[in-house]
Amino acid sequence: MPFLDRGTHRLSWETLGRADAPTLLLVMGMSFSARAWGPLPQRLASAFRVVVFDNRGAGESTAPLRPFGIRDLADDAAAVLEAAGAGPACVFGISMGGMVALELALRHPERVRALALGATFAGWRTSRKATAAVMAQLVAGGALSRLGAHRLIGRALVSPALWKDDLERLGAWIENAGRVSPRVLSQQVAAVTAWDAWENLGEIRVPTLVLTGDADRLVPVENSRRLAEAIPGARLVLLPGAGHCFPLERFEETEREVAGFFRSL
């Protein structure tokens, strides 16, 4: 992966697919590196020039010691697109990555051709929150042994069916996804809880797909419904029975919905 120097930190990024194909930027969510996308970038690269990167402090990217916000992460994403020599890009962000994608469209509209927003919201303060039990699973999972972490974190991130029936696959995915350090996680949490763009959603002027699992326990589905209602012309797609990390559970459906939406433009 090449690196992009941002002064206070550096970003690891790469491209996949044909140079002459439409550009598709993937923005990962909180806690994980770009490896958490699994095989999706390679699959999407059959039709797109896919750009993936590690958010600051994730994977091979570094992070400054000072606090940062969603605006800063959106500026990172814009800088990656510039480094890749990309024109207006299709952008798919999940969870925190969906917030970054929204802020990218608001802050750098010339960089965004279309949006796909996965399992996300436009501001924590007025969003529909996860239950205290789900949040406790995430916090406790970060403090336990590997197996205990997989059980607790996974229970918050995926559907009950996957958690019960395929814990080995879930654990392998969590291990490969490259979790960030406690310091960076706290910076990400602060960025998410401080950001709010609900009042600005009417400014989005690009085709938008809102996609989520209706069994999401971390970012309840009501948030996606509200996003789709607030963004002009947005389309809502629900994946029945899927949890927060729906690309892991419904890989083929995710690829079909995202690629189909962007190819239809």
Side-chain angles (χ1 to χ4, degrees):
M1 276 190 173
F3 288 95
L4 172 61
D5 186 357
R6 295 281 288 150
T8 60
H9 59 287
R10 68 176 191 172
L11 300 173
S12 174
W13 64 282
E14 67 174 333
T15 63
L16 303 88
R18 301 191 326 270
D20 61 346
T23 301
L24 169 53
L25 176 71
L26 297 178
V27 189
M28 181 43 60
M30 183 183 293
S31 182
F32 296 125
S33 75
R35 295 197 306 272
W37 289 112
L40 190 63
Q42 287 284 357
R43 293 287 294 268
L44 290 170
S46 64
F48 300 92
R49 181 190 182 218
V50 177
V51 181
V52 295
F53 71 105
D54 291 329
N55 285 309
R56 58 176 70 185
E60 300 300 317
S61 295
T62 62
L65 293 176
R66 64 171 178 80
F68 54 80
I70 296 297
R71 284 190 172 191
D72 299 308
L73 298 176
D75 288 346
D76 283 348
V80 168
L81 286 173
E82 182 177 5
C90 300
V91 182
F92 175 28
I94 187 167
S95 195
M96 185 187 76
M99 303 170 209
V100 175
L102 271 171
E103 187 64 26
L104 178 65
L106 291 167
R107 192 168 172 81
H108 302 278
E110 75 284 356
R111 293 286 180 192
V112 180
R113 180 185 175 207
L115 288 171
L117 306 172
T120 193
F121 50 64
W124 181 83
R125 184 176 59 83
T126 57
S127 68
R128 176 70 178 271
K129 310 294 193 301
T131 66
V134 170
M135 297 309 299
Q137 288 164 4
L138 287 176
V139 172
L144 293 180
S145 66
R146 179 174 299 178
L147 180 58
H150 293 173
R151 287 185 179 276
L152 286 173
I153 294 174
R155 191 167 191 172
L157 295 180
V158 300
S159 67
L162 179 61
W163 182 80
K164 291 177 182 177
D165 299 338
D166 204 349
L167 187 60
E168 182 176 351
R169 179 165 74 98
L170 175 61
W173 173 78
I174 292 174
E175 198 65 27
N176 182 65
R179 290 161 60 191
V180 301
S181 69
R183 174 179 69 84
V184 172
L185 181 59
S186 67
Q187 290 173 306
Q188 290 180 339
V189 170
V192 166
T193 54
W195 178 74
D196 196 299
W198 284 114
E199 293 184 358
N200 305 113
L201 295 182
E203 300 173 19
I204 301 293
R205 291 290 183 264
V206 296
T208 301
L209 171 69
V210 180
L211 179 65
T212 193
D214 68 2
D216 190 340
R217 301 173 68 225
L218 190 59
V219 180
V221 66
E222 288 80 2
N223 294 293
S224 292
R225 293 194 176 102
R226 184 179 172 194
L227 272 180
E229 291 172 357
I231 298 173
R235 174 188 168 202
L236 175 64
V237 173
L238 303 181
L239 302 177
H244 185 65
C245 293
F246 62 84
L248 172 66
E249 298 189 58
R250 304 290 179 82
F251 169 72
E252 292 183 354
E253 291 173 74
T254 301
E255 179 190 7
R256 181 174 66 249
E257 293 292 347
V258 171
F261 177 72
F262 288 144
R263 292 177 70 177
S264 71
L265 302 177

PDB file of all heavy atoms in Angstrom, residues 200-220:
ATOM      1  N   ASN A 200     -28.440  19.304   7.886  1.00  0.00           N
ATOM      2  CA  ASN A 200     -27.810  19.601   6.601  1.00  0.00           C
ATOM      3  C   ASN A 200     -28.115  18.568   5.514  1.00  0.00           C
ATOM      4  O   ASN A 200     -27.645  18.704   4.377  1.00  0.00           O
ATOM      5  CB  ASN A 200     -26.291  19.702   6.779  1.00  0.00           C
ATOM      6  CG  ASN A 200     -25.892  20.706   7.837  1.00  0.00           C
ATOM      7  OD1 ASN A 200     -25.361  20.330   8.887  1.00  0.00           O
ATOM      8  ND2 ASN A 200     -26.165  21.973   7.600  1.00  0.00           N
ATOM      9  N   LEU A 201     -28.889  17.548   5.858  1.00  0.00           N
ATOM     10  CA  LEU A 201     -29.096  16.463   4.896  1.00  0.00           C
ATOM     11  C   LEU A 201     -29.827  16.918   3.647  1.00  0.00           C
ATOM     12  O   LEU A 201     -29.663  16.320   2.569  1.00  0.00           O
ATOM     13  CB  LEU A 201     -29.854  15.311   5.565  1.00  0.00           C
ATOM     14  CG  LEU A 201     -29.107  14.604   6.703  1.00  0.00           C
ATOM     15  CD1 LEU A 201     -29.939  13.454   7.250  1.00  0.00           C
ATOM     16  CD2 LEU A 201     -27.741  14.102   6.242  1.00  0.00           C
ATOM     17  N   GLY A 202     -30.637  17.955   3.737  1.00  0.00           N
ATOM     18  CA  GLY A 202     -31.313  18.468   2.561  1.00  0.00           C
ATOM     19  C   GLY A 202     -30.368  19.038   1.526  1.00  0.00           C
ATOM     20  O   GLY A 202     -30.762  19.252   0.367  1.00  0.00           O
ATOM     21  N   GLU A 203     -29.097  19.257   1.918  1.00  0.00           N
ATOM     22  CA  GLU A 203     -28.099  19.786   0.985  1.00  0.00           C
ATOM     23  C   GLU A 203     -27.482  18.693   0.114  1.00  0.00           C
ATOM     24  O   GLU A 203     -26.765  19.009  -0.844  1.00  0.00           O
ATOM     25  CB  GLU A 203     -26.988  20.498   1.766  1.00  0.00           C
ATOM     26  CG  GLU A 203     -27.472  21.662   2.616  1.00  0.00           C
ATOM     27  CD  GLU A 203     -26.372  22.226   3.490  1.00  0.00           C
ATOM     28  OE1 GLU A 203     -25.183  21.969   3.190  1.00  0.00           O
ATOM     29  OE2 GLU A 203     -26.690  22.912   4.476  1.00  0.00           O
ATOM     30  N   ILE A 204     -27.723  17.452   0.450  1.00  0.00           N
ATOM     31  CA  ILE A 204     -27.169  16.353  -0.356  1.00  0.00           C
ATOM     32  C   ILE A 204     -27.871  16.347  -1.705  1.00  0.00           C
ATOM     33  O   ILE A 204     -29.092  16.210  -1.786  1.00  0.00           O
ATOM     34  CB  ILE A 204     -27.353  14.996   0.350  1.00  0.00           C
ATOM     35  CG1 ILE A 204     -26.658  14.994   1.720  1.00  0.00           C
ATOM     36  CG2 ILE A 204     -26.825  13.862  -0.527  1.00  0.00           C
ATOM     37  CD1 ILE A 204     -25.166  15.069   1.664  1.00  0.00           C
ATOM     38  N   ARG A 205     -27.099  16.440  -2.761  1.00  0.00           N
ATOM     39  CA  ARG A 205     -27.669  16.542  -4.104  1.00  0.00           C
ATOM     40  C   ARG A 205     -27.184  15.432  -5.032  1.00  0.00           C
ATOM     41  O   ARG A 205     -27.204  15.581  -6.257  1.00  0.00           O
ATOM     42  CB  ARG A 205     -27.317  17.904  -4.717  1.00  0.00           C
ATOM     43  CG  ARG A 205     -28.019  19.079  -4.037  1.00  0.00           C
ATOM     44  CD  ARG A 205     -29.513  19.069  -4.336  1.00  0.00           C
ATOM     45  NE  ARG A 205     -30.223  20.219  -3.773  1.00  0.00           N
ATOM     46  CZ  ARG A 205     -30.851  20.207  -2.622  1.00  0.00           C
ATOM     47  NH1 ARG A 205     -30.836  19.089  -1.886  1.00  0.00           N
ATOM     48  NH2 ARG A 205     -31.487  21.268  -2.172  1.00  0.00           N
ATOM     49  N   VAL A 206     -26.732  14.333  -4.471  1.00  0.00           N
ATOM     50  CA  VAL A 206     -26.273  13.208  -5.286  1.00  0.00           C
ATOM     51  C   VAL A 206     -27.154  11.996  -5.009  1.00  0.00           C
ATOM     52  O   VAL A 206     -27.759  11.888  -3.928  1.00  0.00           O
ATOM     53  CB  VAL A 206     -24.794  12.869  -4.989  1.00  0.00           C
ATOM     54  CG1 VAL A 206     -23.885  14.018  -5.384  1.00  0.00           C
ATOM     55  CG2 VAL A 206     -24.585  12.503  -3.527  1.00  0.00           C
ATOM     56  N   PRO A 207     -27.267  11.071  -5.963  1.00  0.00           N
ATOM     57  CA  PRO A 207     -28.043   9.851  -5.713  1.00  0.00           C
ATOM     58  C   PRO A 207     -27.521   9.129  -4.478  1.00  0.00           C
ATOM     59  O   PRO A 207     -26.313   8.990  -4.290  1.00  0.00           O
ATOM     60  CB  PRO A 207     -27.808   9.034  -6.980  1.00  0.00           C
ATOM     61  CG  PRO A 207     -27.443  10.025  -8.025  1.00  0.00           C
ATOM     62  CD  PRO A 207     -26.689  11.102  -7.317  1.00  0.00           C
ATOM     63  N   THR A 208     -28.451   8.680  -3.639  1.00  0.00           N
ATOM     64  CA  THR A 208     -28.061   8.091  -2.354  1.00  0.00           C
ATOM     65  C   THR A 208     -28.829   6.813  -2.084  1.00  0.00           C
ATOM     66  O   THR A 208     -30.055   6.770  -2.191  1.00  0.00           O
ATOM     67  CB  THR A 208     -28.310   9.086  -1.206  1.00  0.00           C
ATOM     68  OG1 THR A 208     -27.562  10.287  -1.437  1.00  0.00           O
ATOM     69  CG2 THR A 208     -27.889   8.491   0.129  1.00  0.00           C
ATOM     70  N   LEU A 209     -28.085   5.777  -1.724  1.00  0.00           N
ATOM     71  CA  LEU A 209     -28.646   4.505  -1.272  1.00  0.00           C
ATOM     72  C   LEU A 209     -28.403   4.386   0.221  1.00  0.00           C
ATOM     73  O   LEU A 209     -27.273   4.558   0.690  1.00  0.00           O
ATOM     74  CB  LEU A 209     -27.976   3.338  -2.003  1.00  0.00           C
ATOM     75  CG  LEU A 209     -28.304   1.928  -1.497  1.00  0.00           C
ATOM     76  CD1 LEU A 209     -29.746   1.571  -1.815  1.00  0.00           C
ATOM     77  CD2 LEU A 209     -27.340   0.905  -2.103  1.00  0.00           C
ATOM     78  N   VAL A 210     -29.439   4.094   0.987  1.00  0.00           N
ATOM     79  CA  VAL A 210     -29.311   3.831   2.420  1.00  0.00           C
ATOM     80  C   VAL A 210     -29.565   2.343   2.625  1.00  0.00           C
ATOM     81  O   VAL A 210     -30.626   1.833   2.252  1.00  0.00           O
ATOM     82  CB  VAL A 210     -30.308   4.672   3.237  1.00  0.00           C
ATOM     83  CG1 VAL A 210     -30.160   4.384   4.722  1.00  0.00           C
ATOM     84  CG2 VAL A 210     -30.101   6.162   2.969  1.00  0.00           C
ATOM     85  N   LEU A 211     -28.578   1.658   3.195  1.00  0.00           N
ATOM     86  CA  LEU A 211     -28.603   0.193   3.258  1.00  0.00           C
ATOM     87  C   LEU A 211     -28.271  -0.256   4.671  1.00  0.00           C
ATOM     88  O   LEU A 211     -27.313   0.212   5.281  1.00  0.00           O
ATOM     89  CB  LEU A 211     -27.571  -0.363   2.273  1.00  0.00           C
ATOM     90  CG  LEU A 211     -27.382  -1.863   2.162  1.00  0.00           C
ATOM     91  CD1 LEU A 211     -28.643  -2.534   1.615  1.00  0.00           C
ATOM     92  CD2 LEU A 211     -26.201  -2.173   1.238  1.00  0.00           C
ATOM     93  N   THR A 212     -29.082  -1.190   5.213  1.00  0.00           N
ATOM     94  CA  THR A 212     -28.810  -1.678   6.561  1.00  0.00           C
ATOM     95  C   THR A 212     -29.515  -3.003   6.791  1.00  0.00           C
ATOM     96  O   THR A 212     -30.420  -3.384   6.041  1.00  0.00           O
ATOM     97  CB  THR A 212     -29.261  -0.657   7.617  1.00  0.00           C
ATOM     98  OG1 THR A 212     -28.716  -1.001   8.886  1.00  0.00           O
ATOM     99  CG2 THR A 212     -30.780  -0.597   7.727  1.00  0.00           C
ATOM    100  N   GLY A 213     -29.084  -3.699   7.838  1.00  0.00           N
ATOM    101  CA  GLY A 213     -29.797  -4.885   8.277  1.00  0.00           C
ATOM    102  C   GLY A 213     -30.874  -4.509   9.271  1.00  0.00           C
ATOM    103  O   GLY A 213     -30.649  -3.653  10.139  1.00  0.00           O
ATOM    104  N   ASP A 214     -32.036  -5.125   9.176  1.00  0.00           N
ATOM    105  CA  ASP A 214     -33.114  -4.726  10.095  1.00  0.00           C
ATOM    106  C   ASP A 214     -32.976  -5.351  11.475  1.00  0.00           C
ATOM    107  O   ASP A 214     -33.788  -5.089  12.361  1.00  0.00           O
ATOM    108  CB  ASP A 214     -34.490  -5.007   9.482  1.00  0.00           C
ATOM    109  CG  ASP A 214     -34.802  -6.488   9.335  1.00  0.00           C
ATOM    110  OD1 ASP A 214     -33.978  -7.342   9.747  1.00  0.00           O
ATOM    111  OD2 ASP A 214     -35.878  -6.805   8.784  1.00  0.00           O
ATOM    112  N   ALA A 215     -31.915  -6.154  11.689  1.00  0.00           N
ATOM    113  CA  ALA A 215     -31.624  -6.690  13.015  1.00  0.00           C
ATOM    114  C   ALA A 215     -30.394  -6.025  13.632  1.00  0.00           C
ATOM    115  O   ALA A 215     -29.776  -6.581  14.546  1.00  0.00           O
ATOM    116  CB  ALA A 215     -31.424  -8.206  12.942  1.00  0.00           C
ATOM    117  N   ASP A 216     -30.051  -4.830  13.148  1.00  0.00           N
ATOM    118  CA  ASP A 216     -28.897  -4.092  13.666  1.00  0.00           C
ATOM    119  C   ASP A 216     -29.174  -3.662  15.101  1.00  0.00           C
ATOM    120  O   ASP A 216     -30.099  -2.902  15.369  1.00  0.00           O
ATOM    121  CB  ASP A 216     -28.643  -2.869  12.779  1.00  0.00           C
ATOM    122  CG  ASP A 216     -27.325  -2.172  13.086  1.00  0.00           C
ATOM    123  OD1 ASP A 216     -26.784  -2.358  14.185  1.00  0.00           O
ATOM    124  OD2 ASP A 216     -26.850  -1.429  12.206  1.00  0.00           O
ATOM    125  N   ARG A 217     -28.350  -4.127  16.034  1.00  0.00           N
ATOM    126  CA  ARG A 217     -28.513  -3.783  17.443  1.00  0.00           C
ATOM    127  C   ARG A 217     -27.660  -2.584  17.847  1.00  0.00           C
ATOM    128  O   ARG A 217     -27.905  -1.974  18.879  1.00  0.00           O
ATOM    129  CB  ARG A 217     -28.156  -4.990  18.320  1.00  0.00           C
ATOM    130  CG  ARG A 217     -28.998  -6.223  18.033  1.00  0.00           C
ATOM    131  CD  ARG A 217     -28.493  -7.445  18.809  1.00  0.00           C
ATOM    132  NE  ARG A 217     -28.707  -7.288  20.240  1.00  0.00           N
ATOM    133  CZ  ARG A 217     -27.806  -7.568  21.175  1.00  0.00           C
ATOM    134  NH1 ARG A 217     -26.598  -7.984  20.829  1.00  0.00           N
ATOM    135  NH2 ARG A 217     -28.102  -7.435  22.451  1.00  0.00           N
ATOM    136  N   LEU A 218     -26.658  -2.262  17.048  1.00  0.00           N
ATOM    137  CA  LEU A 218     -25.746  -1.175  17.395  1.00  0.00           C
ATOM    138  C   LEU A 218     -26.233   0.172  16.865  1.00  0.00           C
ATOM    139  O   LEU A 218     -26.192   1.187  17.570  1.00  0.00           O
ATOM    140  CB  LEU A 218     -24.345  -1.482  16.854  1.00  0.00           C
ATOM    141  CG  LEU A 218     -23.231  -0.555  17.326  1.00  0.00           C
ATOM    142  CD1 LEU A 218     -23.112  -0.572  18.840  1.00  0.00           C
ATOM    143  CD2 LEU A 218     -21.907  -0.957  16.682  1.00  0.00           C
ATOM    144  N   VAL A 219     -26.677   0.198  15.618  1.00  0.00           N
ATOM    145  CA  VAL A 219     -27.286   1.400  15.018  1.00  0.00           C
ATOM    146  C   VAL A 219     -28.676   0.989  14.543  1.00  0.00           C
ATOM    147  O   VAL A 219     -28.848   0.532  13.417  1.00  0.00           O
ATOM    148  CB  VAL A 219     -26.445   1.955  13.855  1.00  0.00           C
ATOM    149  CG1 VAL A 219     -27.112   3.193  13.250  1.00  0.00           C
ATOM    150  CG2 VAL A 219     -25.033   2.303  14.325  1.00  0.00           C
ATOM    151  N   PRO A 220     -29.671   1.099  15.399  1.00  0.00           N
ATOM    152  CA  PRO A 220     -31.010   0.591  15.070  1.00  0.00           C
ATOM    153  C   PRO A 220     -31.525   1.108  13.731  1.00  0.00           C
ATOM    154  O   PRO A 220     -31.206   2.214  13.300  1.00  0.00           O
ATOM    155  CB  PRO A 220     -31.866   1.087  16.246  1.00  0.00           C
ATOM    156  CG  PRO A 220     -30.898   1.183  17.384  1.00  0.00           C
ATOM    157  CD  PRO A 220     -29.611   1.649  16.768  1.00  0.00           C
TER     158      PRO A 220
END
